[in-house]
């Protein structure tokens, strides 16, 4: 096995801080979910910024489009929730993660031992997983550890 990256070491330590002293983290996966109104909210925010930029006298269409894209991106980040799924010697723990840097902020709940981790879709960049009835998306960087969690190896 290769040496863990600094990012992964920080992530594991952040999860470890949320657990009891006798519990050890063996594997972590970073995931995200989007609010069901993600697309309309983001598009509306982008459109609103385009209108405000136009009304405020910005004449360049390029500048107005850039501002609209910024509004769309900010709204997209605001409607995205990040999670860390950690495998410990006591089972699976679901933690809330920060939006910008990957570290666990709080322990949300423990998942039952019989929780089914099922991959339901995949693209070149991400894969979608159903965990305890909720759809989570993760980047390909985290797919291998998630597959290991799902098979119990």
């Amino acid at each position: 096995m290769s040496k863990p990256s600094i990012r992964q070491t920080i992530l594991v330590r952040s999860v470890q801080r949320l657990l009891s002293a006798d519990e050890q983290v063996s594997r972590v996966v970073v995931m995200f979910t989007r609010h069901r109104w993600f697309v309309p909210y983001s598009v509306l925010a982008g459109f609103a910024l385009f209108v405000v930029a136009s009304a405020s006298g910005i004449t360049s269409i390029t500048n107005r489009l850039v501002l609209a894209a910024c509004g769309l991106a900010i709204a997209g980040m605001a409607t995205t929730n990040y999670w860390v799924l950690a495998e410990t010697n006591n089972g699976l723990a679901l933690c809330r993660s920060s939006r910008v840097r990957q570290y666990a902020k709080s322990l949300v709940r423990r998942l039952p031992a019989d929780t089914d981790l099922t991959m339901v879709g995949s693209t070149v960049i991400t894969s979608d997983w159903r965990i305890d009835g909720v759809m989570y998306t993760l980047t390909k960087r985290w797919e291998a550890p998630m597959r290991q969690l799902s098979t119990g190896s």
Side-chain angles (χ1 to χ4, degrees), residues 51-130:
V51 169
V52 168
S54 299
S56 65
I58 297 175
T59 57
S60 169
I61 188 72
T62 304
N63 290 341
R64 288 186 276 171
L65 288 174
V66 167
L67 286 172
C70 290
L72 189 123
I74 291 168
M77 281 189 69
T79 56
T80 302
N81 293 313
Y82 294 89
W83 307 90
V84 176
L85 181 63
E87 180 184 42
T88 70
N89 53 337
N90 291 341
L92 295 176
L94 185 64
C95 303
R96 193 83 139 128
S97 179
S98 67
R99 290 186 190 276
V100 180
R101 293 182 295 148
Q102 294 176 342
Y103 70 93
K105 296 188 332 183
S106 63
L107 178 63
V108 175
R109 66 188 174 110
R110 302 287 182 157
L111 296 175
D114 62 345
T115 300
D116 192 28
L117 309 175
T118 308
M119 186 168 145
V120 294
S122 181
T123 67
V124 175
I125 301 169
T126 64
S127 59
D128 296 324
W129 292 75
R130 181 174 294 115

Side-chain angles (χ1 to χ4, degrees), residues 16 18 41 63 67:
Q16 192 67 55
L18 302 173
Y41 179 73
N63 290 341
L67 286 172

